[in-house]
Amino acid sequence: MNTHPIGKTGLEVTELGFGAAQIGNLYRAIDDDTAQDALEAAWESGFRYFDTAPYYGHGLSEHRLGRFLRGIDRNSYVLETKVGRLLVPTADEPDSTTGFASPLPFNPVYDYSYAGVMRSYEHSLHRLGVHRIDILLVHDIGELTHGVEGNRRHMSGFLDGGVKALEELKSNGNIAAWGLGIKETDICLQVLGHAHPDCFMLAGRYTLLEQSDAKPLLSQCLQRNVSIIVAGAYNSGILARGAKPGAMYEYGPAPDDILTRVAKLEDACAQFDVPLSTAALQFPLRHPAVSSVVVGGRTREQVEGNLQNLNAVIPEELWEALKDV
């Protein structure tokens, strides 16, 4: 699999990264063997970039990924996790509103401070069973998650302390790169005005379906040699399954205008005998600011399907046609 650099760090990531939210039981539970089989399929397919977070399954994803990576040469892959939430043990049922089925007995609590970032990093090392993490992303800071007033408070703590922690970890060689893992672009531009991140993981904002909000950010990132990692390339699945009844968009039922737009994209792809999911996966990689597309997979079949989408040949005429959709 081809690789691309992360900013000026010297790190190289594969064009596809394995997103480990689904092996953290996102929406529905899978067993350990199924999770390990998906990870084995990813390794066999050439994935050498793995993304996880404490939030995914309240620690379960990091535990499962760490179990798989144990025994593999630590220098043969790039490992990424996130900070911004600490996991607090609970004797009661864990929070059921996070979207993870049968999570571990912890509840996530937001903390973007210096101490919070340092604690989160250390806790992730223990769950993953590694001595270092390559990329550390600040998870879900922004108004979409916290609202205007809440985000003002969190941003103050992050800019006053969290950034210092990340830069300290990087200067000490504990990490090679840091950035944000978010669903909105304005917060990335704000951070670019105050700090020197190496990358942004942008979820669902630069896809075949929507790009306009991301264009100013991608332009800034090109100028400053900051890498974009695209997550959510299928926009919660609608670009994988098409405009069918019950299609999901932004983690909920797709509205009529989105269904109409996706149907038009499907029709354009069908004229060139290209599956919509193939075009959706390859589209972000055409932009020079994009280093990788992180895709999830809870089964071997899903992982292998993503690889097929990456390797399929798409005629240039389709890309031209899609500009008019």
Side-chain angles (χ1 to χ4, degrees):
M1 198 182 293
N2 293 332
T3 62
H4 300 290
I6 294 293
K8 296 173 282 190
T9 64
L11 282 179
E12 294 269 338
V13 294
T14 46
E15 284 189 318
L16 288 188
F18 182 89
Q22 292 188 39
I23 67 166
N25 290 353
L26 181 62
Y27 301 133
R28 63 184 178 88
I30 59 173
D31 60 32
D32 288 343
D33 289 343
T34 301
Q36 293 301 299
D37 191 47
L39 286 163
E40 287 173 7
W43 188 268
E44 293 163 6
S45 298
F47 288 72
R48 295 296 183 268
Y49 170 34
F50 296 89
D51 167 76
T52 184
Y55 186 51
Y56 301 158
H58 304 188
L60 179 62
S61 174
E62 288 186 323
H63 276 292
R64 283 175 164 170
L65 179 59
R67 175 188 168 198
F68 171 75
L69 293 174
R70 205 158 297 130
I72 296 176
D73 179 4
R74 182 61 192 84
N75 295 316
S76 64
Y77 59 87
V78 173
L79 178 60
E80 172 179 275
T81 193
K82 304 180 181 75
V83 296
R85 290 180 177 92
L86 293 173
L87 298 181
V88 178
T90 177
D92 300 320
E93 284 296 314
D95 184 358
S96 61
T97 66
T98 60
F100 295 94
S102 301
L104 296 183
F106 299 88
N107 283 327
V109 176
Y110 294 110
D111 191 336
Y112 299 96
S113 68
Y114 176 93
V117 168
M118 288 300 197
R119 284 179 63 197
S120 182
Y121 172 79
E122 184 176 352
H123 292 177
S124 287
L125 290 179
H126 288 294
R127 284 189 293 266
L128 287 159
V130 295
H131 71 280
R132 78 168 193 275
I133 290 161
D134 299 300
I135 305 174
L136 207 53
L137 299 180
V138 180
H139 204 184
D140 288 341
I141 198 166
E143 293 181 5
L144 283 177
T145 301
H146 303 296
V148 175
E149 290 303 318
N151 191 59
R152 186 176 291 118
R153 183 177 69 256
H154 286 303
M155 276 298 293
S156 176
F158 172 61
L159 294 176
D160 290 343
V163 169
K164 179 183 176 182
L166 291 162
E167 292 290 3
E168 191 174 302
L169 287 168
K170 185 178 175 182
S171 65
N172 290 340
N174 300 113
I175 62 174
W178 72 269
L180 306 185
I182 36 83
K183 302 171 188 172
E184 54 193 292
T185 57
D186 288 348
I187 199 74
C188 299
L189 292 168
Q190 184 179 347
V191 170
L192 279 174
H194 292 86
H196 303 284
D198 303 292
C199 56
F200 295 115
M201 174 177 278
L202 204 55
R205 297 286 76 85
Y206 187 69
T207 70
L208 190 61
L209 184 59
E210 53 182 285
Q211 309 99 43
S212 58
D213 287 348
K215 287 180 179 178
L217 174 62
L218 267 64
S219 177
Q220 284 269 350
C221 286
L222 270 180
Q223 293 175 26
R224 295 182 56 168
N225 201 3
V226 174
S227 295
I228 294 289
I229 301 154
V230 169
Y234 296 135
N235 281 118
S236 296
I238 195 168
L239 292 181
R241 302 176 186 88
K244 297 178 175 62
M248 301 290 284
Y249 170 75
E250 287 296 294
Y251 308 103
D256 289 343
D257 61 324
I258 294 295
L259 290 170
T260 299
R261 177 89 195 287
V262 171
K264 291 179 179 178
L265 292 169
E266 281 187 285
D267 289 343
C269 289
Q271 293 177 27
F272 294 88
D273 198 27
V274 173
L276 176 63
S277 60
T278 298
L281 188 71
Q282 291 193 27
F283 170 78
L285 290 166
R286 293 172 57 82
H287 196 287
V290 175
S291 294
S292 182
V293 173
V294 169
V295 287
R298 71 178 77 244
T299 66
R300 173 176 290 271
E301 291 73 23
Q302 289 177 349
V303 172
E304 292 173 347
N306 287 326
L307 183 66
Q308 290 171 5
N309 282 336
L310 175 68
N311 291 333
V313 177
I314 297 180
E316 193 63 32
E317 291 81 5
L318 172 57
W319 298 120
E320 291 299 317
L322 288 170
K323 291 178 181 178
D324 299 326
V325 176

